[in-house]
Amino acid sequence: MAKIKRFGLYIIAIFVLGFGIVLNTKAGLGVGSINTFPYALSQITPLSLGMATTLLYFVFVAAQIGIYRKAEVKLLLQLPFSYVMGLVIDFYNGWMDFTVEGLPLQLAVLAAAIAATAVGAFLMVSMELVPNPADGMARAAGYVMHKEFGEGKLIFDCGMILTTAVVSLVFAHRIIGIGIGTVMSALFIGRLIQVLGKVFGEKTAGIVEASRG
């Protein structure tokens, strides 16, 4: 029963995280750092947001294999995860076909997106199953630079934003997907995850331990 609950919460995490990612794009204030590149790619190519995300995640998986020089099962499972996440994102992107206007409403949508992303990410990490390829890549970046995960993630996020800025300027002659929402996501998602960990950490850890027993 505990294994089913653990897997069920992980599936819920995928859908909540996908909802948060797409809702963030609807706010129109800039998307989260990791999502800036696939969002920009979806704006300047025929690729959908989900397809662009899946392709980027595939690149992350390949990069991790190259960095660690081994392909563990948990790492390879990031490939089907990437595909499923792309489908979930495209589902939400098609379903949430609306435009948000007016700064107060945009901020409210952004706040909801940040909350959903934090909840999804917290559940995903807590269930200790297949990691998000973006987090796996950030950890690999820290490994290469001999930095802790937090430092590696910060450097990796900044690199993603810089790459997005360059690509969007070259191909679209404007900055795409980067704005105040990008900054607010960086400031608050991590902190919300920490809060969730303090409040629900013992419960989620208990589910994981029970499923292993």
Side-chain angles (χ1 to χ4, degrees), residues 102-124:
L103 186 59
L105 186 56
Q106 286 178 300
L107 290 173
V109 170
L110 177 63
I114 288 173
T117 302
V119 170
F122 167 72
L123 284 175
M124 188 169 292

Side-chain angles (χ1 to χ4, degrees), residues 1 42 69 72 78 110 138:
M1 188 66 181
S42 71
R69 296 183 181 179
E72 296 179 342
Q78 291 180 25
L110 177 63

Side-chain angles (χ1 to χ4, degrees), residues 5-6 9 122-128 196-211:
K5 188 174 184 179
R6 181 184 178 190
L9 285 173
F122 167 72
L123 284 175
M124 188 169 292
V125 171
S126 298
M127 293 304 101
E128 297 182 17
L196 290 168
K198 291 179 180 179
V199 177
F200 300 105
E202 290 186 7
K203 291 182 179 180
T204 54
I207 292 171
V208 173
E209 288 304 315
S211 70

Side-chain angles (χ1 to χ4, degrees), residues 16-27 29-33 35 106-122 179-194 196:
V16 174
L17 180 60
F19 176 77
I21 289 172
V22 175
L23 191 62
N24 196 323
T25 68
K26 302 302 179 181
L29 296 173
V31 300
S33 55
N35 304 311
Q106 286 178 300
L107 290 173
V109 170
L110 177 63
I114 288 173
T117 302
V119 170
F122 167 72
I180 186 62
T182 308
V183 177
M184 292 180 71
S185 294
L187 288 175
F188 293 109
I189 289 176
R191 293 183 182 181
L192 276 175
I193 291 173
Q194 289 180 328
L196 290 168

Side-chain angles (χ1 to χ4, degrees), residues 39-152:
Y39 178 75
L41 201 60
S42 71
Q43 297 297 304
I44 59 180
T45 71
L47 292 172
S48 67
L49 179 58
M51 289 175 62
T53 301
T54 295
L55 288 176
L56 180 64
Y57 282 0
F58 280 177
V59 171
F60 287 166
V61 175
Q64 289 176 72
I65 293 173
I67 289 170
Y68 297 126
R69 296 183 181 179
K70 56 183 178 180
E72 296 179 342
V73 174
K74 205 167 187 178
L75 198 161
L76 290 175
L77 285 174
Q78 291 180 25
L79 291 172
F81 169 90
S82 302
Y83 179 71
V84 171
M85 180 56 77
L87 292 178
V88 170
I89 287 174
D90 276 344
F91 165 75
Y92 280 125
N93 205 31
W95 177 55
M96 292 191 286
D97 186 17
F98 59 82
T99 302
V100 179
E101 297 181 356
L103 186 59
L105 186 56
Q106 286 178 300
L107 290 173
V109 170
L110 177 63
I114 288 173
T117 302
V119 170
F122 167 72
L123 284 175
M124 188 169 292
V125 171
S126 298
M127 293 304 101
E128 297 182 17
L129 290 172
V130 181
N132 186 320
D135 290 335
M137 189 62 217
R139 193 176 299 278
Y143 172 81
V144 169
M145 294 178 285
H146 305 288
K147 303 286 186 180
E148 293 183 359
F149 174 70
E151 292 179 280

